[in-house]
Amino acid sequence: MKILVLNCGSSSIKYQLFDIDQGSVLAKGIVEKIGLKGSFLKNERFDGDKVKLEGEILDHQSGFEFLLGMMISEKRGVISSLSEIDAVGHRLVHGGETFQGSCYLDEVTIKGVEDCSDLAPLHNPANLKGIYAMKNLLPDIPQVGVFDTSFHQTMPDYSFMYALPYSLYKKYGIRRYGFHGTSHSYVSKRACEILAVDYKSKKIITCHLGNGASITAIKDGKSLDTSMGLTPVEGLIMGTRSGDVDAGALTLIMEKEEIDYSSLNTLLNKHSGVLGISGISSDMREVETAAAEGDERAILSLKMYQYRVRKYIGAYAAAMGGVDILIFTGGIGENSPDDREKICENMEFLGLEFDKKVNTGVRGKELIISKKESRVTVMIVPTNEEWVIASETRDIVEQMKAGK
Ligand code: ADP
């Protein structure tokens, strides 16, 4: 079965074409600067063939025409006809309270995604552009939506509500939803598979530390709490996002700096986080290099970053009444031994005995990094969100075919 996985942004399309039965990626790449000057497509084929094609790509539909044309081209292609694509899986950002899991995209569910656009005005409309364009171009091929939010729909009300007037929840759906659901779900299940333990009886904390970062408490196979909220700004410190801030500080900043809603949004999403504190970069590698050279703000930003993750681990251990497995994933979680070590420092009171030696130098591979006698098993589990989307898409299409 060949499944095309799409992640559509406002001016970009990220894609991967999977041969899911073989467990392989036939081609992957990105169409960038859609509707802007200098648009291009970058593709990498399974055999390592790489190409960058420039062209005038005015909208998502022409971006897809460009990329599908390349997939069937004689020189660069990986399939001989578009009918070889069995299904399309879309990464969708916000499913609100409507979507508890992945779904087949028909008129009703597409309307449901449209209705969630108010909750994610930057993301859902861009995701929808991809759905509309693919419906036009490949009308006979089933499409499936996989939501960043749906894994967290198991959170209980006392965990997802904000202590704001209840009417705001009823009127606008103002509550915590959480994101990175495919990643938290995948790495937690994968860890239990590796350890050969029952997923549904474990207390797990998953740290997804990438440019965006979130941490989730998973109890008995269900998301109990997660650090991102109504939007992906809440919680951990991220590359350019602030994470938790006193709401009172925000109203004060708006008043003092005389800025409006949209400037505040930019400040919180693009100018804050590790970049905002260090003044150097949002890229952890650059900040770590500067810290190693003694840059004080870089050192401070790393300390704040690690401290925030530790605080959440403590909170989630309390929320679940303990923790059995702690997982690191995402670009930083998978590749930064130093951050993992600092985050796990002095956690013996929790029953966590970190193995510094095993952790040192390890990047991007599945590994247990706690000592044998540790009550909490600490692991690195590289995430693979596209693979999860492809397999969910296959499952939904197979269920449909079986008439379920
Ligand atoms: P995204 O959220 O965009 O998918 P990633 O999961 O790819 O992001 O994570 C990107 C982050 O991972 C960047 O801050 C990058 O610096 C960091 N990273 C990647 N490799 C390393 C490394 N070897 N050491 C420290 N940080 C790393």
Side-chain angles (χ1 to χ4, degrees):
M1 201 177 196
K2 294 194 178 81
I3 294 177
L4 179 62
V5 171
L6 298 174
N7 181 354
C8 296
S10 55
S11 63
S12 71
I13 303 166
K14 287 189 194 137
Y15 64 91
Q16 289 200 25
L17 180 65
F18 286 89
D19 183 332
I20 195 128
D21 308 315
Q22 304 296 323
S24 62
V25 177
L26 299 173
K28 64 178 176 183
I30 186 162
V31 182
E32 278 201 68
K33 299 199 172 180
I34 297 171
L36 303 167
K37 258 196 194 146
S39 38
F40 63 87
L41 178 158
K42 252 192 331 202
N43 184 68
E44 184 178 348
R45 202 165 56 181
F46 64 93
D47 58 2
D49 174 67
K50 283 187 193 165
V51 66
K52 181 175 172 184
L53 302 169
E54 287 174 21
E56 203 181 4
I57 306 171
L58 296 175
D59 52 24
H60 283 68
Q61 170 118 355
S62 40
F64 282 123
E65 282 167 6
F66 202 20
L67 105 81
L68 292 174
M70 191 213 47
M71 281 192 176
I72 53 171
S73 79
E74 225 164 84
K75 195 158 173 221
R76 306 276 177 198
V78 283
I79 47 178
S80 49
S81 138
L82 293 179
S83 61
E84 280 185 46
I85 300 174
D86 295 285
V88 178
H90 292 265
R91 178 183 188 172
L92 302 180
V93 168
H94 221 305
E97 289 185 337
T98 313
F99 296 98
Q100 314 282 321
S102 307
C103 69
Y104 174 65
L105 291 167
D106 56 16
E107 268 177 35
V108 175
T109 51
I110 292 174
K111 169 83 174 50
V113 180
E114 288 166 352
D115 290 344
C116 292
S117 286
D118 274 356
L119 293 169
L122 295 178
H123 295 103
N124 275 29
N127 296 162
L128 281 158
K129 280 185 186 168
I131 299 175
Y132 303 143
M134 291 314 274
K135 284 264 176 211
N136 271 338
L137 292 166
L138 305 174
D140 300 325
I141 295 176
Q143 299 195 56
V144 168
V146 179
F147 298 88
D148 272 11
T149 48
S150 60
F151 178 63
H152 302 298
Q153 277 296 299
T154 51
M155 285 194 288
D157 50 7
Y158 56 82
S159 147
F160 73 65
M161 286 298 291
Y162 291 117
L164 292 166
Y166 194 79
S167 58
L168 295 174
Y169 166 59
K170 284 289 170 201
K171 263 194 341 220
Y172 309 117
I174 306 289
R175 50 156 282 184
R176 309 181 56 256
Y177 291 92
F179 298 88
H180 289 142
T182 45
S183 177
H184 291 292
S185 160
Y186 168 75
V187 298
S188 54
K189 286 179 188 146
R190 177 74 192 128
C192 290
E193 210 173 271
I194 296 167
L195 299 172
V197 294
D198 176 24
Y199 182 57
K200 296 224 160 107
S201 66
K202 292 290 160 198
K203 295 167 184 157
I204 305 171
I205 297 177
T206 45
C207 308
H208 178 110
L209 310 178
N211 281 318
S214 67
I215 176 166
T216 297
I218 300 162
K219 193 175 180 202
D220 304 334
K222 290 182 189 159
S223 172
L224 169 75
D225 203 346
T226 191
S227 58
M228 283 178 169
L230 173 75
T231 75
V233 172
E234 194 181 343
L236 301 179
I237 294 171
M238 306 176 218
T240 59
R241 287 178 230 156
S242 63
D244 298 334
V245 187
D246 178 359
L250 303 181
T251 48
L252 187 76
I253 292 167
M254 284 178 94
E255 192 194 339
K256 294 276 183 204
E257 294 270 307
E258 296 181 15
I259 56 173
D260 61 6
Y261 154 83
S262 111
S263 306
L264 184 70
N265 230 352
T266 308
L267 183 147
L268 289 172
N269 280 288
K270 304 244 183 300
H271 300 158
S272 298
V274 172
L275 171 68
I277 300 294
S278 70
I280 292 169
S281 170
S282 63
D283 190 303
M284 212 49 154
R285 284 164 291 199
E286 290 178 27
V287 178
E288 285 182 1
T289 305
E293 287 162 0
D295 185 283
E296 284 187 11
R297 278 170 54 188
I299 294 170
L300 172 64
S301 65
L302 291 180
K303 280 190 179 160
M304 288 169 63
Y305 184 92
Q306 294 150 359
Y307 179 71
R308 182 76 55 89
V309 181
R310 289 171 60 79
K311 250 181 23 173
Y312 267 95
I313 292 173
Y316 285 171
M320 293 193 290
V323 49
D324 301 310
I325 307 168
L326 173 67
I327 301 165
F328 287 99
T329 194
I332 297 165
E334 292 166 27
N335 297 304
S336 175
D338 204 45
D339 283 309
R340 292 191 299 256
E341 182 181 325
K342 298 272 170 36
I343 289 167
C344 292
E345 225 161 50
N346 298 324
M347 290 251 186
E348 287 76 14
F349 76 98
L350 259 184
L352 190 162
E353 316 240 353
F354 192 71
D355 195 328
K356 288 187 192 177
K357 240 191 186 158
V358 171
N359 174 59
T360 303
V362 178
R363 298 185 207 285
K365 68 171 186 187
E366 291 177 345
L367 191 72
I368 296 174
I369 48 174
S370 49
K371 291 185 181 159
K372 281 219 163 62
E373 60 273 25
S374 181
R375 236 182 332 108
V376 181
T377 306
V378 186
M379 299 177 76
I380 305 167
V381 181
T383 194
N384 194 342
E385 289 164 286
E386 291 75 16
W387 173 256
V388 180
I389 295 170
S391 33
E392 293 261 325
T393 301
R394 174 197 51 199
D395 294 349
I396 299 250
V397 169
E398 281 178 352
Q399 280 167 22
M400 250 178 47
K401 282 188 181 153
K404 285 183 200 159

